[in-house]
Amino acid sequence: MYKQKKKKRESWGSNFGFIMATAGFSIGLGNIWRFSYVAGHNGGGAFLFIYLIIIALIGLPIFLAEAGLGRKAQSGIITGLRKLTRRGSPWVLIGWIGILAASLIMSYYLMIMGWIFAYLIKVIAGGFSGMTVEQIALHYEQLTSNPLAVFGYTLIPVILIGLIVSRGVRNGIEKFVKISMPLLLFMLIILSAYSLSLPGAMKGVSWYLKPDFSAINGQTFLEALGQAFFSVGIGLAGAFTYGSYLHPHKSDLVKGSIWVISFDTCVAFLSGLVIFPALFAFHIAPDSGPGLLFITIPNLLNQMPGGMIFGFLFFFLVVIAAITTAVGLIETISANASELLKIGRKTSVWLWLGFIVLLAIPSILSHGPWAAMKFFGMSIFELIDYVSGNILLTTSGLFISLYVIFYWTFDRFQMDINTGATTLKITPIWKPIIYFIVPCVILTILITGLTS
């Protein structure tokens, strides 16, 4: 058994702090940017229906398992899995894969955050006013292909993230999310109410909420599965890290996890109510793809009354969502590095932020000078996204599922997760879900990612 010198560990000030911080980790660009364009590409209501089922059957059990392991270990994922198993155990690979996936995702996440900050500044300055669709598309191409400009904008979120995470769990992360997450939800409600008030918006609501089951095929299920992994953050070691700051016996993990998953799903759902009614009101196609946020939305702003105010609120909302996820990713990476390298929190945070900034450079250049550089038919950015999302994320999630089945076992899993639970608890009905449905579905995602 791996032994580590005991030291006082940070903890959440309240269960509410854990819920807000972990929900912030889950809620990000996946809920607002990716959910909207994937739902738009897959028929709206039919995709939403399948997505909700998968979140309940797959997302919640894996999230509970990962956060529960963190609470039990009371340390970062690598040292924690060594304590729960042994040093050199193959199960520790869960930790290494999760940290690698978090680092790779954070590398291009910084780049996209740079784009978002650039758009927020341009919206505030009224820069999109009067621009044609072609000019907006050209602006997107010019921005993303200018590595110096993108790198400069990227430094803004880097500094903000570093200042938040370096202050610690209670004084930094918890204080930030207790303000930012309710604000994010409030802004979403205001924006969705505004979007729903537009003439013709109800056509978008009907398209978004009324499932067309004839549009469902195997690809719809796979897209919904992939989105659930991306949105909740399964396999990124974030739930493990945030769970490790919970009290091992007094925290209600079941209720807290249900709140986190519900909050994450609610934000994705509300983002659809912001975007799709507005798109239909102004006769813009909902299946605009990944460019929805950076091309379609600025075009939409030019057509709607009060577009500048809507645009500022919308992009500020996206900034908040992106930062809360990035804070979780950096906390996960730096906390594990601090334990393994025996260095202080602040040193670890700024060291790894600097490393990830360097790691972001190839993705930034892949939209500019290195655009012609292809690996297996993919740009550097696309390759990093493919490896981290389609392979590493799902592999880590599959290993967590197998750990529960073969090492933890359902009886011990049930007992550990229910420790501290009050009203809602894990019951034997979960056993077939965890033993059969979850691993089979995750394996399907992984095989699809490797063969697509």
Side-chain angles (χ1 to χ4, degrees):
M1 190 73 70
Y2 176 75
K3 300 290 183 183
Q4 184 179 0
K5 185 179 179 180
K6 292 283 185 181
K7 64 178 181 178
K8 185 175 177 59
R9 182 169 178 77
E10 292 185 277
S11 63
W12 301 114
S14 64
N15 208 48
F16 178 72
F18 163 73
I19 293 170
M20 290 294 98
T22 313
F25 166 71
S26 297
I27 295 166
L29 296 179
N31 301 73
I32 300 173
W33 164 62
R34 197 175 189 275
F35 177 84
S36 296
Y37 86 72
V38 172
H41 184 69
N42 286 276
F47 174 86
L48 178 64
F49 177 77
I50 296 171
Y51 177 79
L52 293 175
I53 293 175
I54 288 172
I55 281 289
L57 288 179
I58 310 299
L60 180 58
I62 295 298
F63 180 89
L64 263 172
E66 189 174 331
L69 285 172
R71 186 179 69 165
K72 188 175 182 178
Q74 291 290 291
S75 63
I77 192 167
I78 294 171
T79 55
L81 287 170
R82 286 174 176 174
K83 288 198 297 184
L84 294 174
T85 57
R86 58 178 171 77
R87 192 183 185 101
S89 167
W91 297 114
V92 180
L93 280 173
I94 295 172
W96 290 110
I97 293 171
I99 295 299
L100 178 58
S103 300
L104 291 176
I105 288 174
M106 190 62 201
S107 72
Y108 70 76
Y109 211 83
L110 277 181
M111 174 188 70
I112 298 174
M113 289 177 72
W115 299 351
I116 294 169
F117 269 91
Y119 269 64
L120 176 63
I121 293 170
K122 194 168 183 67
V123 167
I124 293 173
F128 290 112
S129 179
M131 291 178 67
T132 64
V133 176
E134 292 76 17
Q135 288 173 329
I136 290 172
L138 180 61
H139 170 75
Y140 172 69
E141 292 177 8
Q142 289 175 336
L143 170 67
T144 57
S145 62
N146 186 337
L148 287 178
V150 173
F151 188 82
Y153 283 115
T154 296
L155 294 180
I156 301 173
V158 166
I159 294 170
L160 290 175
I161 294 163
L163 291 174
I164 293 167
V165 180
S166 63
R167 287 179 59 83
V169 173
R170 290 196 189 188
N171 293 326
I173 299 171
E174 188 168 349
K175 283 185 176 180
F176 172 69
V177 296
K178 279 184 175 179
I179 298 171
S180 62
M181 295 312 296
L183 177 62
L184 184 149
L185 186 59
F186 175 74
M187 290 173 63
L188 266 176
I189 293 171
I190 295 297
L191 287 172
S192 61
Y194 178 82
S195 186
L196 291 169
S197 70
L198 296 170
M202 288 303 107
K203 291 182 180 179
V205 174
S206 177
W207 178 87
Y208 181 47
L209 299 183
K210 185 178 179 181
D212 177 9
F213 292 107
S214 65
I216 295 177
N217 53 36
Q219 190 62 31
T220 310
F221 281 92
L222 293 174
E223 292 273 10
L225 289 167
Q227 176 60 28
F229 266 72
F230 192 96
S231 179
V232 178
I234 292 171
L236 280 171
F240 192 109
T241 302
Y242 278 9
S244 73
Y245 298 131
L246 285 169
H247 190 284
H249 307 298
K250 297 179 181 179
S251 55
D252 191 335
L253 184 60
V254 178
K255 189 180 291 185
S257 297
I258 291 174
W259 272 109
V260 169
I261 297 295
S262 299
F263 205 165
D264 177 82
T265 306
C266 181
V267 169
F269 174 76
L270 284 175
S271 71
L273 282 183
V274 172
I275 293 173
F276 295 123
L279 292 180
F280 274 78
F282 294 100
H283 310 289
I284 297 174
D287 57 346
S288 302
L292 180 68
L293 184 65
F294 300 103
I295 298 176
T296 307
I297 293 299
N299 183 46
L300 176 64
L301 301 180
N302 283 336
Q303 300 184 49
M304 63 164 50
M308 182 176 174
I309 297 174
F310 182 96
F312 168 74
L313 291 175
F314 181 83
F315 280 102
F316 185 64
L317 169 75
V318 177
V319 163
I320 292 174
I323 287 179
T324 55
T325 294
V327 163
L329 290 169
I330 290 299
E331 171 63 20
T332 297
I333 299 166
S334 62
N336 280 275
S338 179
E339 290 179 355
L340 293 171
L341 301 177
K342 307 291 192 264
I343 56 178
R345 166 179 283 274
K346 290 184 179 180
T347 302
S348 182
V349 168
W350 292 109
L351 175 68
W352 288 100
L353 266 174
F355 173 73
I356 289 173
V357 167
L358 295 177
L359 203 61
I361 292 175
S363 287
I364 294 173
L365 292 174
S366 71
H367 289 81
W370 292 359
M373 195 179 296
K374 302 290 182 180
F375 299 90
F376 308 104
M378 295 178 281
S379 67
I380 295 174
F381 161 67
E382 291 169 337
L383 180 64
I384 293 173
D385 182 35
Y386 174 83
V387 171
S388 58
N390 288 20
I391 299 176
L392 296 179
L393 219 61
T394 47
T395 300
S396 181
L398 178 62
F399 282 3
I400 292 170
S401 173
L402 297 176
Y403 179 95
V404 174
I405 296 170
F406 296 109
Y407 193 88
W408 206 350
T409 71
F410 181 79
D411 290 341
R412 286 194 295 158
F413 166 80
Q414 183 181 15
M415 181 182 67
D416 289 340
I417 297 298
N418 285 340
T419 299
T422 52
T423 53
L424 301 173
K425 296 185 178 183
I426 300 297
T427 63
I429 199 172
W430 283 60
K431 189 170 184 177
I433 296 173
I434 290 173
Y435 271 51
F436 301 106
I437 296 176
V438 172
C440 289
V441 170
I442 297 176
L443 187 60
T444 300
I445 300 172
L446 182 58
I447 292 173
T448 302
L450 291 171
T451 57
S452 61

